[in-house]
Amino acid sequence: MKILDTFKKFMETVIVLVMIAMVLVIFFATVGRYTGLFAIPWSEEFARYSMIAMTYLGAMIAASRGSHFAVEVVGMVFPKKVQNIITVVNIIVVDLFSLFILKQGWQISNKMLTQGKLSPMLEWPLGIVYMLIPVGLVLMAIYYTAFNINKIRTKEDK
């Protein structure tokens, strides 16, 4: 689907930019610390939140390529019909888990935002940072579902 491909390319760009920013901040913080010229006290917190963003948004990219949730031997042992059933069960489990995490994550994030909790150094709203997890998992489920539906259709066409 065109819209999913376009969004995936956008997210890949975002992830690369976050990684570049993280590497630069850590590099300059390390240079500043060891030369004694300056300090970037928020560098570790920035790196932590960047890593969380890259991990959960990157899960979407991996799922779009079918890099998650697969044991290749299972596909080799069973006939196509059984493989398709296993794939559908996988999709349902991943989607249900992602919806559960979305619900729980939304409640936690909303509570953090309502209480006005901020990160210690950057003073970013922690509810936004915590929301990366459920959003990333829901995006992963969407792309995982799309990838596997496409895979099932391709198998049936052969």
Side-chain angles (χ1 to χ4, degrees):
M1 292 174 64
K2 183 112 172 109
I3 193 161
L4 289 178
D5 290 338
T6 303
F7 185 71
K8 182 177 90 167
K9 286 180 183 164
F10 170 74
M11 291 309 293
E12 286 173 338
T13 304
V14 167
I15 292 168
V16 167
L17 292 174
V18 169
M19 179 175 258
I20 289 169
M22 181 184 77
V23 168
L24 289 174
V25 167
I26 294 301
F27 173 77
F28 286 117
T30 304
V31 169
R33 186 178 326 122
Y34 285 105
T35 61
L37 297 174
F38 58 92
I40 304 176
W42 48 264
S43 62
E44 286 183 42
E45 190 173 295
F46 180 79
R48 186 177 322 119
Y49 297 152
S50 298
M51 199 59 141
I52 291 168
M54 288 186 300
T55 299
Y56 285 98
L57 298 176
M60 177 197 92
I61 306 300
S64 73
R65 297 177 180 151
S67 299
H68 282 305
F69 315 113
V71 178
E72 295 296 325
V73 174
V74 172
M76 295 177 196
V77 174
F78 296 107
K80 283 185 185 180
K81 290 276 187 197
V82 176
Q83 289 176 25
N84 289 345
I85 291 169
I86 292 170
T87 300
V88 170
V89 170
N90 263 350
I91 291 170
I92 291 168
V93 169
V94 168
D95 290 350
L96 288 175
F97 176 74
S98 296
L99 289 174
F100 173 77
I101 294 297
L102 176 65
K103 181 181 179 271
Q104 298 301 316
W106 177 260
Q107 290 173 349
I108 292 169
S109 297
N110 193 31
K111 187 175 184 180
M112 295 274 220
L113 289 170
T114 304
Q115 293 175 352
K117 296 201 181 232
L118 302 174
S119 65
M121 298 301 287
L122 292 168
E123 297 185 357
W124 288 352
L126 282 176
I128 302 293
V129 175
Y130 278 59
M131 189 53 79
L132 286 168
I133 296 168
V135 167
L137 288 178
V138 167
L139 289 171
M140 177 196 69
I142 291 168
Y143 278 86
Y144 180 71
T145 301
F147 173 81
N148 281 298
I149 288 172
N150 189 39
K151 187 169 112 180
I152 289 171
R153 285 183 182 155
T154 304
K155 281 183 184 177
E156 289 174 355
D157 290 343
K158 289 181 179 180

